Amino acid sequence: MLLKVENLQAEIEDKQILKGLSIEVKPGEVHAIMGPNGAGKSTLASVLAGREDYEVTAGSVEFNGEDLLDMDPEERARKGLFLAFQYPVEIPGVSNKLFMQTAVNAVREEQGLPALDMFDFDEYAKEKIELLDMRADLLDRSVNVGFSGGEKKRNDIFQMALLEPKLCIMDETDSGLDIDALRLVANGVNSLKTPERSFIIVTHYQRLLDYIKPDYVHVLYNGRIVKSGGFELVHELEEHGYDDIIQQHQEA
Amino acid sequence: MAELANVTDLTSVESEYEEITSVLQKNLSYREGFETKTQVETFAKGINEEVVRAISAKKNEPEWMLEFRLRAFKHWQTMSEPHWAKAKYEPLDYQDYSYYSAPECGSCAGTCSTEEEAGIDPEVAKAFEMLGVPIYDDDANVAVDAIFDSVSISTTKREELAKLGIIFCSFSEAVQDHPELVQKYIGTVVPYHDNYFAALNSAVASDGTFVYVPEGVHSPIDLSTYFRINEAKTGQFERTILVADKGSYVSYLEGCSAPVRDSYQLHAAVVEVIVHEDAEVKYSTVQNWYPGDENCEGGILNFVTKRGICEGKNSKLSWTQAETGSAITWKYPSCILKGDNSIGEFYSVALTNRRQQADTGTKMIHLGKNTRSTIISKGLSAGHSDNTYRGLVKIAASAEGARNFTQCDSMLIGDKCGAHTFPYIEVENSTAQIEHEATTSRIGEDQLFYCQQRGISEQDAISMIVNGFCKEVFSELPLEFAQEAEELLAISLEGSVG
């Protein structure tokens, strides 16, 4: 088991958002977590990545057999947990190259590998740029500064490719993207799928899932997973919306 | 992240910056904070005409220099301490400072010995060694004037430079050996009555550096001065004059530090730079005076008047400063652009942390035709500090076709600090072009979390973000200095590196 979340409860500013959430992800699986606004989707992504604003009040999370909640955010990242942000952050004056070389070497250090020097890193990065069909000047630009919404998210995918994580959590990556950008992001993700790498795709809409077919779909509502199923659940939601499922859940 | 499992209060807005603040608070390791114990001769505390005369006598000065001091002292007594800067401090008790202090051995001001090594106090030599300042002529690719409290200890490479006609010696020596040059230039850019601290400096000037680069000579090495304040309750009043004659070039660097003391130490310097036709001077400072502790105890009061004049046509003066130290900084390195087509530049990084207060900037006074000036200022505030940019761009009626570009960027680290910008613009010629850009940003939790989520530690993230912000200025510093400045920033911000 790569990720095992049990009865996870978390709050922010004394408001409980996650109310006992459980989910298990095996290597190579793609899980989608869907739900209406305010269900706790982004909270789940933030808590797994270790954002400090959230407090875990109960439950446990195991990542590759280790206690994830005991780790700093950077430790989680170095051990292979990657979060693609809903709003990637700008860092003026810091080139993507320096930023990612530092990040890649932090991960390599964790794995006991020697650091990549500028030349090695350049070569390594070039491979990934070609793989993802991105612009060659990407490395020279300041991190996300002056990037369009779509470019920022593609930059996140590029970072994902460089860091080669075990688990990729995509936090509403599709929000604010037009159909072309969406397709580009989805292609990027698909080209990074391997039998070992797992994905958790957090989204409000089904449209991203049409491009990245998940193995499992979970509906999150009011801090809990209220229904799980296969890809067919996406179409059920598409036809009936969240209301039916929520109603069933409330009656039960 | 152990807190995650605990149920603690992470609710208030304040706590948003808890982590950053705690990282910053680790910065209690001011690396240069050691003290040198050696035999010193220190004047009793207090200032009066007798003290001024005694300083001059100690330095064996000619009559004209004493006259200059006395004139300044008389004028100083009529002035009042300025408090217009955005920095709060109690009026100083000038009678509670000593105005002269020197190690007893080897501090023979006025004797132009070329074999300095023989005369250097071993404790003082050790101090400079610990600071990484090469005070013996060795392979160092830089000439150094090392100043300890009130006197110059050693000036290296002077013979090598003398072959090129370059005069590089302490100010005291210059008064003895080159009186005609000192007399010609002293007080011409910063008159003794210019301001309160300049007047005080003119009265009790201790030591400083004198540089003269003759016509057409390009100094092959960087010249530098390292200022060290050691004695408690001592003021350092350095007087530096730098003259670049026609078509010459020199790059001059200065560094400063002081031991950790629990009371304010006063540093009131005056620097005058004269750049003649077609000459260029690059003046770089890395200022790391002791900034005081968390509770606002101690630290250097850095009240400095630095000004240069681009006297001749096509001359150029460039100020670059990295200011990380001092409890209070009050400093506006300025350019008077008198010669036609002359160029003034000011590149500054000012970092304040804890309770430091900095009010710094520049004045660009355009007098000549087609004069150009560039101002790039990067202010970083952390902790409970206040960081102010104050700058004047003045285009006189005579300055046909003058141009200025100003960029002032401020970055806040945490939510208890302040950044302020006061640009003053006075234009008397309608052909002038002036551009002013200003930004304020904040290192937020979002940026830090983004870096951490990519595996980068919080400290590396802060230093990466900060250095990215300062890049434009650091690229103007000589290579070794740039590295030192980057390291200083890292230390001042993180504290754990040192």
Side-chain angles (χ1 to χ4, degrees):
Chain A
M1 195 66 60
L2 179 65
L3 182 77
K4 190 172 174 188
V5 180
E6 262 183 320
N7 185 35
L8 185 63
Q9 300 185 28
E11 58 179 43
I12 184 166
E13 289 172 13
D14 291 330
K15 189 170 175 244
Q16 192 172 15
I17 309 286
L18 299 183
K19 300 173 178 171
L21 184 148
S22 301
I23 184 175
E24 291 188 0
V25 179
K26 293 197 184 78
E29 289 179 349
V30 179
H31 290 246
I33 295 186
M34 304 186 67
N37 288 328
K41 299 190 301 290
S42 280
T43 299
L44 175 63
S46 295
V47 167
L48 291 178
R51 199 164 192 129
E52 299 185 11
D53 315 350
Y54 297 90
E55 249 181 84
V56 174
T57 52
S60 67
V61 181
E62 256 181 43
F63 181 58
N64 230 358
E66 289 184 89
D67 182 358
L68 187 76
L69 299 179
D70 205 29
M71 299 179 204
D72 286 340
E74 58 263 41
E75 215 176 327
R76 300 178 194 205
R78 290 171 194 170
K79 287 186 190 283
L81 186 146
F82 183 94
L83 174 66
F85 283 67
Q86 188 175 358
Y87 305 107
V89 178
E90 299 184 4
I91 311 179
V94 176
S95 71
N96 239 339
K97 188 191 234 162
L98 174 68
F99 181 70
M100 285 317 295
Q101 193 187 353
T102 310
V104 165
N105 283 334
V107 172
R108 287 177 65 90
E109 191 183 340
E110 172 75 26
Q111 296 166 343
L113 296 169
L116 294 181
D117 67 15
M118 231 159 46
F119 306 105
D120 293 340
F121 178 78
D122 259 358
E123 246 166 69
Y124 176 61
K126 211 182 265 173
E127 271 171 42
K128 301 293 183 185
I129 285 179
E130 278 164 21
L131 174 77
L132 297 173
D133 194 21
M134 287 184 178
R135 277 168 54 178
D137 68 352
L138 183 66
L139 282 174
D140 302 322
R141 298 170 67 182
S142 288
V143 179
N144 293 327
V145 176
F147 286 33
S148 69
E151 279 180 315
K152 284 182 182 174
K153 296 196 173 170
R154 290 184 69 201
N155 194 23
D156 258 22
I157 304 295
F158 170 60
Q159 296 178 1
M160 185 193 282
L162 285 169
L163 293 172
E164 302 188 326
K166 294 189 177 74
L167 174 65
C168 307
I169 303 168
M170 321 261 307
D171 185 9
E172 308 212 19
T173 296
D174 48 347
S175 69
L177 293 189
D178 61 28
I179 197 73
D180 293 325
L182 192 73
R183 200 178 287 138
L184 282 167
V185 166
N187 287 346
V189 170
N190 285 330
S191 64
L192 295 175
K193 269 201 229 172
T194 71
E196 294 80 35
R197 186 168 297 145
S198 313
F199 289 82
I200 296 179
I201 296 163
V202 175
T203 181
H204 184 77
Y205 303 103
Q206 90 294 335
R207 50 180 206 165
L208 179 63
L209 304 178
D210 290 339
Y211 296 101
I212 310 170
K213 294 234 160 25
D215 304 309
Y216 301 94
V217 177
H218 311 274
V219 177
L220 182 63
Y221 173 69
N222 195 20
R224 284 191 197 91
I225 285 172
V226 295
K227 186 163 188 176
S228 296
F231 187 61
E232 73 286 348
L233 195 52
V234 174
H235 294 293
E236 194 183 317
L237 284 170
E238 203 172 341
E239 272 169 49
H240 306 292
Y242 291 111
D243 290 349
D244 277 15
I245 292 173
I246 290 165
Q247 217 167 353
Q248 284 166 28
H249 168 70
Q250 277 165 341
E251 281 162 12
Chain B
M1 191 50 57
E3 303 96 273
L4 247 194
N6 295 336
V7 186
T8 46
D9 61 319
L10 272 171
T11 47
S12 67
V13 187
E14 273 181 27
S15 67
E16 193 188 333
Y17 293 106
E18 222 164 40
E19 189 78 1
I20 305 180
T21 311
S22 78
V23 169
L24 292 171
Q25 272 165 355
K26 287 181 206 153
N27 171 30
L28 294 174
S29 58
Y30 176 69
R31 275 202 302 199
E32 290 78 5
F34 63 87
E35 178 184 355
T36 304
K37 295 226 186 300
T38 183
Q39 287 293 321
V40 292
E41 182 187 9
T42 301
F43 279 15
K45 284 177 187 170
I47 182 167
N48 53 46
E49 196 180 310
E50 282 319 298
V51 169
V52 175
R53 284 179 184 279
I55 293 170
S56 189
K58 196 84 208 160
K59 292 177 174 288
N60 206 11
E61 287 175 348
E63 193 58 29
W64 59 264
M65 189 62 205
L66 176 63
E67 289 289 311
F68 178 79
R69 287 179 183 276
L70 292 173
R71 262 203 312 277
F73 181 66
K74 288 209 179 75
H75 190 78
W76 179 70
Q77 288 177 301
T78 68
M79 302 172 92
S80 51
E81 194 179 74
H83 281 267
W84 47 259
K86 200 163 170 54
K88 286 197 193 80
Y89 60 97
E90 293 297 311
L92 300 174
D93 180 0
Y94 291 88
Q95 301 303 339
D96 195 33
Y97 283 92
S98 166
Y99 291 83
Y100 183 85
S101 172
E104 275 192 346
C105 110
S107 63
C108 7
T111 57
C112 250
S113 155
T114 46
E115 288 169 37
E116 292 90 351
E117 292 172 32
I120 299 172
D121 182 318
E123 287 301 311
V124 174
K126 207 163 83 190
F128 280 112
E129 194 189 313
M130 282 169 75
L131 295 166
V133 179
I135 56 168
Y136 299 114
D137 278 2
D138 55 14
D139 296 336
N141 197 22
V142 60
V144 179
D145 185 17
I147 296 180
F148 194 83
D149 289 332
S150 302
V151 294
S152 169
I153 299 299
S154 144
T155 312
T156 67
K157 309 253 182 210
R158 43 203 291 164
E159 287 182 355
E160 201 178 318
L161 292 167
K163 282 178 200 151
L164 297 166
I166 298 174
I167 301 169
F168 177 55
C169 65
S170 73
F171 178 75
S172 306
E173 286 166 348
V175 169
Q176 304 295 329
D177 301 349
H178 309 283
E180 71 298 339
L181 283 174
V182 177
Q183 248 184 311
K184 182 174 173 189
Y185 290 110
I186 192 168
T188 57
V189 191
V190 182
Y192 67 84
H193 51 75
D194 189 82
N195 66 68
Y196 187 79
F197 296 109
L200 178 62
N201 174 287
S202 301
V204 298
S206 39
D207 218 338
T209 304
F210 183 83
V211 176
Y212 174 80
V213 188
E215 194 170 332
V217 171
H218 281 225
S219 178
I221 50 174
D222 292 345
L223 308 185
S224 77
T225 306
Y226 195 92
F227 296 97
R228 175 77 177 169
I229 300 182
N230 188 59
E231 278 304 292
K233 280 284 180 185
T234 296
Q236 193 178 51
F237 304 93
E238 96 225 25
R239 187 92 196 185
T240 287
I241 297 178
L242 201 158
V243 182
D245 219 327
K246 285 182 190 168
S248 66
Y249 168 84
V250 66
S251 164
Y252 176 82
L253 330 168
E254 62 177 9
C256 353
S257 67
V260 172
R261 302 280 187 197
D262 58 7
S263 55
Y264 280 144
Q265 281 166 283
L266 184 58
H267 176 255
V270 171
V271 173
E272 298 178 275
V273 180
I274 297 100
V275 195
H276 289 288
E277 204 173 310
D278 296 319
E280 180 178 349
V281 172
K282 215 170 149 57
Y283 195 112
S284 313
T285 305
V286 171
Q287 185 264 108
N288 183 29
W289 295 117
Y290 174 56
D293 69 11
E294 203 57 50
N295 304 316
C296 217
E297 293 280 326
I300 298 279
L301 302 180
N302 193 31
F303 298 136
V304 171
T305 307
K306 286 184 168 170
R307 196 176 299 153
I309 183 163
C310 284
E311 182 75 52
K313 272 188 238 165
N314 310 318
S315 54
K316 180 176 175 185
L317 172 57
S318 180
W319 299 99
T320 305
Q321 60 173 18
E323 304 275 323
T324 61
S326 296
I328 297 176
T329 297
W330 181 95
K331 180 181 170 190
Y332 315 91
S334 304
C335 299
I336 300 169
L337 302 171
K338 188 176 164 196
D340 290 347
N341 312 318
S342 60
I343 297 171
E345 293 176 337
F346 176 74
Y347 300 97
S348 170
V349 167
L351 166 77
T352 53
N353 195 359
R354 288 175 275 181
R355 299 202 179 262
Q356 283 175 272
Q357 307 175 79
D359 192 311
T360 184
T362 185
K363 288 191 266 186
M364 293 291 175
I365 316 284
H366 293 253
L367 303 176
K369 292 189 181 66
N370 303 316
T371 44
R372 280 181 288 160
S373 63
T374 304
I375 300 171
I376 310 281
S377 164
K378 305 277 181 176
L380 287 146
S381 339
H384 289 79
S385 69
D386 262 305
N387 200 324
T388 301
Y389 167 81
R390 189 185 300 276
L392 167 70
V393 176
K394 185 184 165 86
I395 313 281
S398 55
E400 198 76 16
R403 283 185 359 210
N404 163 265
F405 174 78
T406 301
Q407 187 184 331
C408 291
D409 298 325
S410 306
M411 182 176 267
L412 299 165
I413 306 171
D415 57 357
K416 303 238 175 16
C417 50
H420 320 274
T421 303
F422 299 105
Y424 305 86
I425 298 174
E426 295 172 19
V427 180
E428 291 165 15
N429 186 310
S430 60
T431 62
Q433 284 180 44
I434 291 190
E435 286 173 71
H436 184 97
E437 290 177 9
T439 65
T440 302
S441 56
R442 193 189 279 283
I443 292 192
E445 287 292 303
D446 283 348
Q447 276 179 327
L448 285 181
F449 182 67
Y450 191 69
C451 295
Q452 285 175 286
Q453 213 304 307
R454 298 300 181 249
I456 299 167
S457 73
E458 183 168 47
Q459 298 199 345
D460 285 350
I462 290 180
S463 110
M464 190 184 275
I465 294 167
V466 164
N467 279 313
F469 177 73
C470 300
K471 205 178 228 164
E472 279 167 278
V473 173
F474 286 167
S475 62
E476 291 295 325
L477 284 170
L479 194 60
E480 278 172 48
F481 248 40
Q483 210 170 348
E484 189 185 329
E486 269 187 42
E487 280 167 17
L488 261 183
L489 274 195
I491 293 164
S492 300
L493 279 168
E494 297 163 13
S496 60
V497 182

